[in-house]
Amino acid sequence: MPDALHFTGDAEADALIAKDPLALLIGFALDQQITVQAAFAGPLKLRQRLGSLDAATIATSDPAELEALFRQQPAIHRFPGSMAKRVHDLAQHVADEYDGHAERVWTEAKDATDLEKRIRALPGFGDMKVLALSAVLAKRFGVEVAKPLAPTFPTLGDVDSVEALHEYQAAKRAYKKARREQLSSA
């Protein structure tokens, strides 16, 4: 297991998402319409505000109070209401299906097909998050069952330093720009 995942530029947040499987899943759940840095810093902000990142604690939190924590400035996400609900639902799923142990999503997967099914069952996890989480699990954590799911194109799984994160984001921006140009000229 790595000491840190260099997704935020903040040593404490980077260590948290490497050491706490639920923090990693929450970061992926938040990784939507905000920067990677902001998404993966979210679990640390939530832990600081709630006092815990325990799945049962989050799942049994009053939804309005959880949303208030997401809205507290600086907000955890640009869409605090919907993301507070998503994190609540994710924590509820982990509490119900995995007895609060998020790592069981991958440690108990029989094979790549089972792992994909488990990831897709997580609230807010679609095709791209299946690929990205699988890449991180395979390349950063050495999870064998994740390797067949990890794509060949660059993902967060390839990020092993702050510099690599910047390179990954620059390449992603260039790809999106080229894709937009291609679609507008078609």
Side-chain angles (χ1 to χ4, degrees):
M1 181 168 14
D3 291 333
L5 294 174
H6 302 281
F7 296 173
T8 72
D10 176 281
E12 187 177 3
D14 287 344
L16 178 64
I17 59 175
K19 299 291 183 207
D20 185 330
L22 184 60
L24 180 64
L25 294 182
I26 290 171
F28 271 102
L30 295 174
D31 188 18
Q32 178 176 322
Q33 298 184 337
I34 59 174
T35 66
V36 168
Q37 292 91 331
F40 287 93
L44 177 60
K45 288 180 186 174
L46 182 58
R47 185 182 75 181
Q48 290 167 337
R49 295 172 187 183
L50 185 62
S52 170
L53 269 189
D54 176 69
T57 301
I58 297 169
T60 58
S61 293
D62 177 275
E65 290 176 17
L66 189 60
E67 182 177 333
L69 295 177
F70 268 72
R71 289 186 184 282
Q72 182 180 326
Q73 293 301 314
I76 291 175
H77 196 279
R78 70 186 280 205
F79 300 111
S82 60
M83 287 300 139
K85 180 174 179 358
R86 177 158 302 154
V87 169
H88 181 271
D89 293 348
L90 173 64
Q92 187 70 60
H93 183 82
V94 169
D96 291 347
E97 298 296 322
Y98 301 104
D99 197 30
H101 298 279
E103 69 277 7
R104 289 177 52 198
V105 170
W106 54 89
T107 61
E108 295 180 357
K110 293 178 243 145
D111 54 28
T113 302
D114 187 35
L115 177 62
E116 182 177 3
K117 181 180 138 210
R118 289 162 173 259
I119 296 171
R120 284 188 186 283
L122 298 170
F125 283 68
D127 292 343
M128 290 307 295
K129 290 186 185 183
V130 168
L131 296 175
L133 177 57
S134 296
V136 169
L137 293 173
K139 296 175 181 180
R140 298 289 135 230
F141 292 94
V143 176
E144 288 298 319
V145 296
K147 289 180 180 178
L149 299 174
T152 56
F153 57 82
T155 66
L156 281 175
D158 299 300
V159 172
D160 59 2
S161 67
V162 174
E163 297 78 23
L165 176 62
H166 294 304
E167 291 168 11
Y168 163 74
Q169 289 180 305
K172 189 174 178 181
R173 282 190 299 274
Y175 171 79
K176 285 182 176 183
K177 180 181 178 188
R179 187 82 176 117
R180 281 191 304 272
E181 289 171 357
Q182 180 185 26
L183 291 173
S184 69
S185 68

